Amino acid sequence: MPDAVYRIDAKGRFSYVNRAAGELMGRVADELVGRKALECFPEVRGSVLEEHYRTAMADGRPRTVEFFYPPSGRWYEARVFPANRGLTVFLRDVDEWHRVQAQRAQELTQLTAVIEALPPATVLIDGGGRIVSVNRRWTAAGEVVSRAGHRAGRVGDDYLEVMSQGMGSDDRKAITAGLAELMAGGSDAADRVFAHDYQHPLNRDRAWFRIQAARVEASGQVVITHTDITERVLDQEALAWQATHDDLTGLPNRACLLELIGDALAGDEARAALLFLDLDGFKTVNDSLGHDVGDELLRQVGARLRDQLRPDDAVGRLGGDQFLVLARGCDISEAAALAFRLQTSFTRPFLAEGISVPLSASIGVAAAQPGVRQAHQLLSDADAAAYAAKGAGRDRIHLFSPGLRDAARWRLEVANRLRDGAVDEFVVHYQPLVRVDTGEVEGVEALLRWQHPERGLLSPDAFLSVAEETGQLIPITRWLLGETTRQAAEWAAQGLPLRMSVNISARHFSAETLVHDVRLALHDSGLPAENLVLELTETSVAEDPTRAEDQLAVLRSFGVRVAIDDFGTGWSSLAQLLALPIGTLKIDRSLLTAAARLAAGGTGAVLAAIVSLARTLGIRSVAEGVETAEHLQMVREAGCDFAQGYLLAHPMPAADVTRWASRVRAAGGDSCALALQGQAR
């Protein structure tokens, strides 16, 4: 046999030596029998092998020990068996195995040192999946795991068994499969790294970790690091939430709502509806009470809407003062009922910073049509319905119809053309204003028209609201001031001095450029300031009375006149109107018609009362919408100063104004008489 074998008797002499043993000692085996073992094998003296000789003889139990034999420079495994008051010893050359193990031990020591230096909690597992080594961070993490009620992993434990505590099944399966593939080896195993993010409960907190595992090819072991990525995951969740939610209200934002709508429309038989809510007059609330109050009101609106919804519905904020409700599994009639419920919820005032604020909303309702899968299309339909509701007045509900889609496309076309320079297609028509008592021509009102290349001549109703929404209204008004003052100056130079009345919107007050724009127009045209009249509606004044009063006072100080247009159609306070430097009150045609219905015995008592009040305040009165001889008679009897309407003259281009004025002069200068004769239409 290749192993060295010898027997030693009770006196310490060799009683048997095989050939391999003799060769190991450099002697002939037969010559060694009967001689003292320690004399023939002196390298054993004082070694661990001699110690095992004595202990085996003493207790009668076998021993196994490794020792280094200097003459051969190799390691041997010695197995010592007590027998017949002596010892039988087997020596096997294990030098190669021992050196491999020593190399592995050295590598393990080095690897352990590296693992110890790694910042994340790290373990080394063997090919069987058991923990071989851990670093201090793993030990420290084990204390946290123990406090959470789980068993901490120690050297010798099954790694996957330890990790499975409290882990989700999907994560457990992924980690098991990934480590199994690494431990299986293969030509590219050393180049592969397994990584997986998983969630693990620690007490009541959620914690996330990233496993990264790599194979140590020389030993077949696997190094696994565990990095705490909780903060990063929470940051990512916060960013994802912020990307899909409104910061102010916490509701889903436009991007998230579009995704929700798309999901709701995904089925073959999808039933969903959108309710588009636009708060009425919220800008006035914001400007008057401050943005802090406005923000709090928006939060309360969002909360109140959420409380009114069914469990499967969703509400979000599109931006500004606009909200959107997605009603799932809902047809148009059910959506309309929901809209009325939401509308009713606004009947209770909102309370912000001790201030009770009444709010209302204009609501557009659109239901998904068969075959429609585009979220943007349904949103566009609901938007169009809300626009129609807004146009009908405050606190209205409007259901979508295909005609609204055409109107929305028209608004988009208008917005694009206005941006691309449609001002070159604008023209101004002028409607004369005449004295009621003498029929003399006092001035003209400038009426903007759009000479559209495809649609013909368009009135302001077709485009000015879009211009206001897109920020084009002020540039248009600026152009109108320049054009009309130039025209009035030109007429004056021709011997036709007419006061020019120009309509101004509330937007011009908020922009605070009105004074500058008027001064510039007067300067460039050379028109005297007293020949320019700025017409304002009651509503435009009521939106921001302080700014209006300040700017109009400056304009009035250098001669520009101010008129309130469409009086009787708004909700302005009489006190507000009296605070403004008003020179003229233009009574709306609707009030004229109402006065005619209420007239008794041919006398318009209501109209007369308004005219009398204006005269008492030193304000001149103008009756608009005079279309019949009866109207003219009524405004005369009521004492109106001026009249304007189709009976007297239709709006006309600038070139026609001079011809019309010439006809009036030729007929004696009384346009009223000429109109009654049917000659000046």
Side-chain angles (χ1 to χ4, degrees), residues 376-393:
H376 284 282
Q377 182 61 65
L378 188 57
L379 177 57
S380 176
D381 292 347
D383 188 5
Y387 187 88
K390 199 81 170 177

Side-chain angles (χ1 to χ4, degrees), residues 164 166-176:
S164 296
M167 182 182 287
S169 60
D170 291 341
D171 290 327
R172 184 167 58 248
K173 290 176 183 177
I175 294 173
T176 300

Side-chain angles (χ1 to χ4, degrees), residues 89-386:
V89 181
F90 293 80
L91 295 178
R92 174 170 293 174
D93 188 335
V94 294
D95 188 76
E96 183 176 352
W97 178 86
H98 188 278
R99 293 183 186 280
V100 169
Q101 290 300 109
Q103 179 66 26
R104 287 182 177 177
Q106 184 180 4
E107 291 174 353
L108 179 60
T109 300
Q110 294 173 345
L111 187 57
T112 301
V114 172
I115 290 173
E116 188 65 35
L118 291 176
T122 306
V123 299
L124 179 69
I125 64 172
D126 61 20
R130 294 200 171 271
I131 299 175
V132 176
S133 178
V134 302
N135 68 354
R136 284 175 295 180
R137 294 297 298 272
W138 173 272
T139 303
E143 297 175 1
V144 178
V145 170
S146 297
R147 288 196 296 269
H150 303 301
R151 181 171 61 86
R154 297 182 176 86
V155 173
D157 288 344
D158 184 287
Y159 172 77
L160 289 174
E161 183 179 323
V162 170
M163 291 295 295
S164 296
Q165 301 175 97
M167 182 182 287
S169 60
D170 291 341
D171 290 327
R172 184 167 58 248
K173 290 176 183 177
I175 294 173
T176 300
L179 293 181
E181 186 176 353
L182 276 181
M183 289 188 288
S187 58
D188 63 339
D191 299 326
R192 291 199 306 269
V193 174
F194 169 69
H196 181 75
D197 296 346
Y198 68 96
Q199 182 182 348
H200 202 287
L202 292 177
N203 296 324
R204 295 182 179 180
D205 299 327
R206 296 184 301 162
W208 284 266
F209 299 89
R210 168 165 290 180
I211 280 182
Q212 290 179 293
R215 178 184 171 89
V216 182
E217 192 58 35
S219 64
Q221 297 169 325
V222 177
V223 178
I224 309 173
T225 63
H226 308 75
T227 305
D228 189 339
I229 60 171
T230 302
E231 185 175 349
R232 185 192 316 166
V233 171
L234 293 177
D235 287 344
Q236 290 172 347
E237 287 185 348
L239 288 174
W241 189 90
Q242 290 172 1
T244 56
H245 288 75
D246 173 52
D247 290 339
L248 180 63
T249 62
L251 298 175
N253 61 12
R254 181 186 181 89
C256 182
L257 287 167
L258 286 172
E259 185 175 345
L260 294 174
I261 297 168
D263 293 341
L265 298 178
D268 292 335
E269 298 182 0
R271 294 175 66 244
L274 280 186
L275 285 72
F276 192 115
L277 291 88
D278 193 335
L279 300 184
D280 298 322
F282 191 76
K283 182 180 182 301
T284 302
V285 174
N286 232 356
D287 292 344
S288 58
L289 300 181
H291 289 278
D292 290 341
V293 173
D295 290 348
E296 176 59 26
L297 289 173
L298 290 173
R299 283 190 286 266
Q300 290 189 30
V301 168
R304 190 174 293 187
L305 292 175
R306 189 168 49 228
D307 292 343
Q308 297 297 319
L309 302 185
R310 303 169 305 173
D312 291 337
D313 296 339
V315 59
R317 181 181 176 219
L318 288 178
D321 55 3
Q322 296 177 337
F323 293 81
L324 194 68
V325 172
L326 170 62
R328 297 182 177 91
C330 189
D331 58 24
I332 190 65
S333 60
E334 294 168 323
L338 176 59
F340 281 111
R341 188 163 75 246
L342 296 179
Q343 185 186 47
T344 303
S345 71
F346 279 82
T347 56
R348 290 181 290 112
F350 294 83
L351 187 65
E353 297 189 9
I355 303 172
S356 179
V357 183
L359 290 177
S360 63
S362 299
I363 305 176
V365 182
Q369 301 299 313
V372 174
R373 295 290 181 267
Q374 296 296 322
H376 284 282
Q377 182 61 65
L378 188 57
L379 177 57
S380 176
D381 292 347
D383 188 5

Side-chain angles (χ1 to χ4, degrees), residues 31 35 43 130 190 236 265 268 344 521 556 610 620:
E31 296 177 354
R35 300 184 62 175
E43 291 79 11
R130 294 200 171 271
Q236 290 172 347
L265 298 178
D268 292 335
T344 303
R556 190 70 188 93
I610 296 173
R620 301 187 302 174

